[in-house]
Amino acid sequence: MASHSRSEDELGRKWDRCLSDTGIKIASGLGLGIVFSVVFFRRRPWPVAFGAGVGLGMGYANCQNDFQRPFRLSGKLIKVHEPNSS
C-alpha cells in the first residue's frame, strides 16, 4: 500500500528546507564577509553586509525554485528500439 502525504506536510517540509537553506547561506555569506573585511578591506563593514545580502538572495532564489516546482519526479528514460518489420 502506498503511503500518502498531505499537502500541508509537503508545504511544511518545503518551508523547513527553505528556512534552513537560507540560514546556512546567510551565515556562510557573513563568515566570508568577515574574512574578506579583516584580510582585504581593513575592517570595513560593507563586505559583511554584501556577503549577507548575497546569501539572502541565493536562499530566496532557491526557495522560489522549490515552491514553484509542484513535486519532484525522479526516473530514468529507457528507449526501446523496435526491429524493422518488413
Side-chain angles (χ1 to χ4, degrees):
M1 195 180 269
S3 64
H4 297 284
S5 63
R6 298 182 317 175
S7 62
E8 294 88 3
D9 295 337
E10 181 63 28
L11 184 64
R13 281 191 289 273
K14 284 185 180 185
W15 270 109
D16 290 342
R17 265 193 318 262
C18 177
L19 293 176
S20 65
D21 182 51
T22 303
I24 290 170
K25 287 188 182 349
I26 290 173
S28 301
L30 276 171
L32 282 174
I34 290 170
V35 168
F36 273 80
S37 175
V38 169
V39 174
F40 296 115
F41 297 107
R42 292 182 287 190
R43 300 184 192 267
R44 305 248 167 120
W46 69 266
V48 178
F50 181 76
V54 167
L56 180 66
M58 288 173 61
Y60 181 75
N62 286 346
C63 288
Q64 272 189 328
N65 187 28
D66 198 21
F67 280 115
Q68 287 177 355
R69 231 178 336 163
F71 47 83
R72 292 183 181 173
L73 290 177
S74 60
K76 193 180 283 187
L77 178 65
I78 301 174
K79 294 183 179 180
V80 178
H81 296 285
E82 295 181 18
N84 294 337
S85 58
S86 299

